[in-house]
């Protein structure tokens, strides 16, 4: 817990010359404004400004002045920069000139939803599992889709050529305050995963964006490109961001009940029911790209069907085996392209809607859904996730809860931008069409 004076002292004593004031746009893309050390006191007094009209989804040009409000607890020095003339960062909230939180700031939106949960007595904890690919770059330094290894799940060197890259990523993250729980090669060639310890939702959302920055930076130092694109290569697994989540109340895990047959409380069951009720309208947030839906197809371990289970990994929601304080649900559909502030907001409000309305969850599906026939799925009431981005956007546009979650301003901007993204994709002529039709027709 840093104070203003703590940071000023560290900047001076540690020879910090530049501070990057970071924030995100509505797509969760990290942005920053760099200041010199001489401006740190001004920044901590919330007097640094930016032109919001230049940021996607922020504001109109006639009302472009925005203020950066740094969160002192996010101060950290970048380990990979020179140790003389160091570079540090502060994550910021965006405020309007009248001193009110800006409605288009994703971090403000998550803080608002967490405050609503706190009024009900809940603390929201989240642990994400981010997968990513490492690819070679070409002679101009641009990323390719040529993987750097032929390893598979849990393989090790010399087959896993990414082992040293992951090690450097983990060491860097630990220097920045992360607690790394696991690091390993994933199923697909060139695919990797690093898991860090769960935290309260706001810190987790900050950590997700910091993780992406570190992964890309360290990969670049090794001459590689780290991508969090959901499905960069046809025919192999895509990258997910399984999102483990739990609610705590009065210092205890609200999802745990030792008297229940599988150790889940009524709160947990209703939370699951809320997620399942709203998942179609959340999909444009959890899986925000045209490319996201190339991952959500049968046969590649990604969930396609809306179901839950405590015993297998094919449904949308899985209940990991740990109980007691570690009781949690794992939402398996999100991918790492999601805006983490929007994603965690949507998960929380959907789950709380289930709790408030005491929704009843359907029976768990304990056999492999991918091997069930359509008739069997229909009989069990198992529905599909949206098949593509535009279906997800249309479901989101019908959702009063998602509009309330993001606020009308960000909701309208986001759905409009995603509709335009789909139209841009839909009207393009793709290489597959050239290969299939140019000669034959």
């Amino acid at each position: 817990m840093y104070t203003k004076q703590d940071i000023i002292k560290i900047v001076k004593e540690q020879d910090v010359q530049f501070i990057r004031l970071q924030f995100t746009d509505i797509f969760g893309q990290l942005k920053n404004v760099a200041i010199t050390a001489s401006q740190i006191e001004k920044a901590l007094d919330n007097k640094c400004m930016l032109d919001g009209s230049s940021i996607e989804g922020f504001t109109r040009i006639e009302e472009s002045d925005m203020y950066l409000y740094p969160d002192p607890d996010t101060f950290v020095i970048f380990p990979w920069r020179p140790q003389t003339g160091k570079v540090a960062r502060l994550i910021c909230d965006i405020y309007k000139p009248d001193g009110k939180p800006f409605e288009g700031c994703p971090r403000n939106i998550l803080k608002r939803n967490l405050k609503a949960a706190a009024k009900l007595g809940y603390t929201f904890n989240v642990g994400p599992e981010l997968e990513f690919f490492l690819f070679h770059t070409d002679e101009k330094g641009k990323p390719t889709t040529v993987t750097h290894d032929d390893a598979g799940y849990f393989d090790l060197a010399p087959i896993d050529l990414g082992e040293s890259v992951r090690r450097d990523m983990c060491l860097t993250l630990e220097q920045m305050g992360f607690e790394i729980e696991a690091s390993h090669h994933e199923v697909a060639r060139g695919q990797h995963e690093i898991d860090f310890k769960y935290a309260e939702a706001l810190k987790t959302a900050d950590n997700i964006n910091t993780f992406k920055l570190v992964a890309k930076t360290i990969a670049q130092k090794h001459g590689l490109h780290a991508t969090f694109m959901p499905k960069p290569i046809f025919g192999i697994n895509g990258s997910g961001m399984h999102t483990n989540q739990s609610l705590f109340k009065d210092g205890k895990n609200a999802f745990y009940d030792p008297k229940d047959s599988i150790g889940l409380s009524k709160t947990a069951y209703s939370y699951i029911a809320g997620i399942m009720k709203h998942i179609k309208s959340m999909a444009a947030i959890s899986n925000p790209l045209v490319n996201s839906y190339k991952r959500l197809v049968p046969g590649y371990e990604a969930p396609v069907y809306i179901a839950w289970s405590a015993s297998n990994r094919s449904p949308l929601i899985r209940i990991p085996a740990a109980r007691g304080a570690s009781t949690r649900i794992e939402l398996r559909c999100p991918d790492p392209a999601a805006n983490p502030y929007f994603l965690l907001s949507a998960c929380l409000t959907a789950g709380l809607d289930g709790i408030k309305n005491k929704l009843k969850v359907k029976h768990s599906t304990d056999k492999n859904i991918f091997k069930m026939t359509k008739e069997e799925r229909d009989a069990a009431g198992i529905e599909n996730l949206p098949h593509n981005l535009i279906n997800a956007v249309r479901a989101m546009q019908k959702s009063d809860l998602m509009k309330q979650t993001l606020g009308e301003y960000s909701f309208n901007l986001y759905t409009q931008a995603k509709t335009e993204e789909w139209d841009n994709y839909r009207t393009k002529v793709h290489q597959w069409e050239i290969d299939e039709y140019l000669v034959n027709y």
Side-chain angles (χ1 to χ4, degrees), residues 171-226:
L171 293 174
T172 301
L173 288 163
E174 287 191 330
Q175 286 179 276
M176 297 176 72
F178 282 68
E179 183 176 336
I180 303 301
E181 295 188 327
S183 163
H184 60 86
H185 198 285
E186 259 297 336
V187 174
R189 299 185 308 276
Q191 188 183 35
H192 305 269
E193 178 176 316
I194 297 174
D195 300 332
F196 51 89
K197 188 176 181 179
Y198 77 89
E200 187 274 330
L202 182 65
K203 184 175 181 180
T204 294
D206 291 340
N207 283 345
I208 289 171
N209 273 354
T210 300
F211 178 93
K212 292 180 184 178
L213 174 65
V214 170
K216 287 178 176 292
T217 300
I218 301 304
Q220 189 176 50
K221 286 183 173 293
H222 284 262
L224 298 169
H225 175 73

Side-chain angles (χ1 to χ4, degrees), residues 245-261:
Q245 45 201 291
S246 62
L247 293 176
F248 273 64
K249 192 171 190 177
D250 300 325
K252 296 180 180 179
N253 191 320
F255 283 180
Y256 178 55
D257 182 356
K259 298 177 183 177
D260 181 69
S261 60

